[in-house]
Structures are given as C-alpha cells and as structure tokens.
C-alpha cells in the first residue's frame, strides 16, 4: 500500500515549451501533496504545498506563474512548468500525505520526474 | 527556523566497515519528527525511519541503527558491516508537527561502499 506514482518518469523538452508532470496516490486519498525540486548533487527543496480544492502555497522564491500546480482530486496533483528554460532542468519529486487512518501523518514519495530542457 | 545539517558531504568506506552518518537539527518546537531517507542512483527516495521528539529510544533494524539525542539535537545513523548495496545518498529530514507536513531536508551524505 501507500504507493505514489509520477508520470512521466523523464521528459526532454525544448526551451519555451510547457511540461506537465502528474503525481497520483494509487491506493489512498491525499488531501495534501508536496512538490520538491532537486538539482544534481543537491538536496530536495520544497517548491509548494498543494491542498485538494484550493490554491497551492508556494515557498519563497518559487514563481507561482511559472510552476502551476493543480490539485483537482484527492488522488491527483499536477505540476506544469510553463515556458521551460534550461535552468529548469531538474529532478522533480512529489509526495502525498495520507488523509486518514494510522498513516495519517505519513508522507509518501513518488519516484520522481527528470526534466531536461534543451 | 527549522534547519537540518549533515556535515559529511561524502563518505567512502570499504565493505564490512561500520559507518556513522551525522545529523544535527534545529527547531524551536517541542513536537517534531525526524526522518532518514536513502536515495539510490535511481533517484527514488526510500524511507528508512521516522522518530518523534518524545521517543528518545535508540532503534535497531538489522544492520541499521539510529541514535537520537535531544540534548545535542542529533539523530545519527549507523550502518554496521556496510555492503556495496548501501552506496547511496542519505538524507536526514525534520518535520515540524505544526507545519502541515513540510519536510526540511539536510544536504545529504553520499556514501560510497567499495568492495
């Protein structure tokens, strides 16, 4: 149980285009999902917290107009990188917080999406 | 503000050696959670342990053990008889009970176990 998937697992796009990354909780409902970014040889940095049915909360320094987050259902959150540039190339990881039950405090990570912008 | 420091950027050991990964944290809150994650080359984070601030008992799981000391704000991780498969980046993380689940990660320690 407690599986989080991400799609795609990797993507290459041209500079100026937009890319959408999906994060799904497969066997539980997640009222809260988190999006992290990890540059090579660096730690994970939280970009934003998304709550189902409401606007995402972005961390300081993260452009909300560039990184669009939509948490449309209890099992799906999407991150859209708009007008991507080479500096957006990174490893994007989502996590989902289980809504209820004994796993209520747990946060489960997806496998990550590697984005390369050429 | 919350902060996690992993002072060791890289560690290299020979198989069967014991190795300890250090983690020091800062928080003003009395209720919090500490975590260790393993990130192999594939990139997927593997959960290793969660410890809440009220439980200072040390924990052992196979070759892994954790030493939580509130007095020094440390949560160190020891691998006994290391194996090549232990090679990965290890992250220590802090979650404040009242911060809605945000995880603050340390910088990570890259462990290389050589045969």
């Amino acid at each position: 149980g407690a599986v989080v998937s991400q799609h795609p697992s990797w993507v290459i796009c041209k500079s100026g285009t937009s890319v959408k990354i999906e994060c799904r909780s497969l066997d539980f409902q997640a009222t809260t999902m988190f999006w992290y970014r990890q540059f090579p040889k660096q730690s994970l940095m939280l970009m934003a917290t998304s709550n189902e049915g409401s606007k995402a909360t972005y961390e300081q320094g993260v452009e909300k107009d560039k990184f669009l987050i939509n948490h449309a259902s209890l099992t799906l959150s999407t991150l859209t990188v708009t007008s991507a540039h080479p500096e957006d190339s990174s490893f994007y990881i989502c996590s989902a917080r289980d809504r209820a039950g004994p796993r209520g405090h747990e946060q489960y990570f997806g496998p990550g999406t590697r984005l390369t912008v050429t | 503000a919350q902060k996690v420091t992993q002072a060791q950027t890289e560690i290299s050991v020979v198989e069967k050696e014991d190795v300890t990964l250090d983690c020091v944290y800062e928080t003003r809150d009395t209720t919090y959670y500490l975590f260790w994650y393993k990130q192999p080359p594939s990139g997927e984070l593997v959960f290793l342990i969660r410890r809440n601030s009220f439980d200072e008992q040390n924990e052992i799981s196979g070759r892994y053990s954790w030493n939580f000391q509130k007095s020094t704000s440390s949560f160190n991780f020891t691998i006994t008889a290391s194996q090549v498969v232990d090679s990965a980046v290890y992250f220590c993380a802090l979650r404040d009970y009242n911060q809605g689940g945000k995880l603050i990660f340390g910088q990570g320690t890259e462990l290389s176990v050589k045969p």
Side-chain angles (χ1 to χ4, degrees), chain A residues 19-96:
Chain A
V19 175
K20 180 185 285 188
I21 302 170
E22 292 185 350
C23 176
R24 292 182 186 273
S25 56
L26 299 184
D27 55 355
F28 65 97
Q29 293 184 326
T31 49
T32 303
M33 289 186 172
F34 303 89
W35 287 96
Y36 295 85
R37 179 169 55 182
Q38 184 183 28
F39 292 109
K41 298 287 190 181
Q42 294 189 25
S43 187
L44 285 79
M45 297 299 294
L46 180 66
M47 298 175 66
T49 302
S50 82
N51 294 295
E52 185 263 339
S54 62
K55 289 184 178 180
T57 302
Y58 290 81
E59 295 298 300
Q60 193 171 9
V62 177
E63 301 173 58
K64 60 179 69 175
D65 294 331
K66 181 171 182 62
F67 299 99
L68 302 179
I69 292 173
N70 184 1
H71 193 158
S73 76
L74 286 171
T75 60
L76 173 65
S77 176
T78 60
L79 167 67
T80 302
V81 183
T82 62
S83 186
H85 291 285
E87 58 265 30
D88 298 322
S89 298
S90 187
F91 192 53
Y92 292 86
I93 307 173
C94 75
S95 70

Side-chain angles (χ1 to χ4, degrees), chain B residues 18-114:
Chain B
D18 298 347
V19 58
T20 296
L21 309 182
D22 298 332
C23 174
V24 175
Y25 63 93
E26 295 175 30
T27 180
R28 293 179 183 171
D29 296 284
T30 57
T31 303
Y32 51 90
Y33 296 90
L34 295 164
F35 300 79
W36 275 95
Y37 290 91
K38 174 182 180 180
Q39 187 178 42
S42 64
E44 185 165 0
L45 283 176
V46 177
F47 167 81
L48 296 178
I49 191 172
R50 180 189 72 173
R51 179 51 51 105
N52 74 52
S53 52
F54 296 113
D55 183 2
E56 286 195 71
Q57 276 193 327
N58 291 331
E59 182 154 341
I60 298 174
S61 176
R63 295 184 299 107
Y64 296 168
S65 62
W66 291 269
N67 184 341
F68 176 30
Q69 293 198 354
K70 285 180 78 171
S71 60
T72 56
S73 297
S74 65
F75 186 42
N76 296 337
F77 172 34
T78 298
I79 301 175
T80 303
S82 59
Q83 300 175 2
V84 173
V85 293
D86 295 328
S87 297
V89 180
Y90 291 85
F91 290 98
C92 180
L94 167 70
R95 189 177 83 204
D96 185 331
Y97 186 81
N98 295 315
Q99 288 293 316
K102 287 172 57 172
L103 279 171
I104 307 299
F105 285 87
Q107 301 91 320
T109 297
E110 184 172 4
L111 175 64
S112 176
V113 182
K114 302 186 187 308

